[in-house]
Amino acid sequence: MAERMAKVRVESVLLSVSGGRLQGQLVEAAADIKGGSVTSDDVTRVTSTGMRHATGEGRTVLHALPVGYALDGVKGIATPGAWWRGSSAST
């Protein structure tokens, strides 16, 4: 059977998923800052740590978002950046 291309670019797709045990959870993760200034690698390390803790056995993470950051225990930081200086970051 011949396949035909519609020559249409798909900009977005909506996915509906259901299951008997859907759940949401809030995970807090932390990582030491090397060198004093927060880098994008530090932020990636913190969020990756959180993802490892969010994925339980037999479970799959469908969607994850950082809801806020903390630096040296000070919470409420919305956007990470290189101007941050500290020794420990968390999300």
Side-chain angles (χ1 to χ4, degrees):
M1 183 167 133
E3 293 184 29
R4 296 183 186 180
M5 299 295 289
K7 295 184 181 179
V8 174
R9 183 180 181 146
V10 176
E11 296 291 332
S12 66
V13 174
L14 296 177
L15 173 66
S16 176
V17 178
S18 65
R21 300 179 320 167
L22 291 177
Q23 74 180 52
Q25 70 183 83
L26 186 59
V27 175
E28 188 171 323
D32 291 335
I33 303 300
K34 299 171 183 164
S37 293
V38 176
T39 66
S40 60
D41 288 342
D42 294 318
V43 175
T44 298
R45 196 168 61 255
V46 170
T47 53
S48 295
T49 300
M51 285 298 292
R52 282 193 300 276
H53 291 289
T55 308
E57 187 172 332
R59 311 286 299 185
T60 300
V61 175
L62 297 178
H63 180 67
L65 281 178
V67 294
Y69 296 90
L71 185 62
D72 291 342
V74 178
K75 294 184 178 187
I77 300 172
T79 306
W83 58 91
W84 288 7
R85 295 196 53 80
S87 59
S88 175
S90 63
T91 182

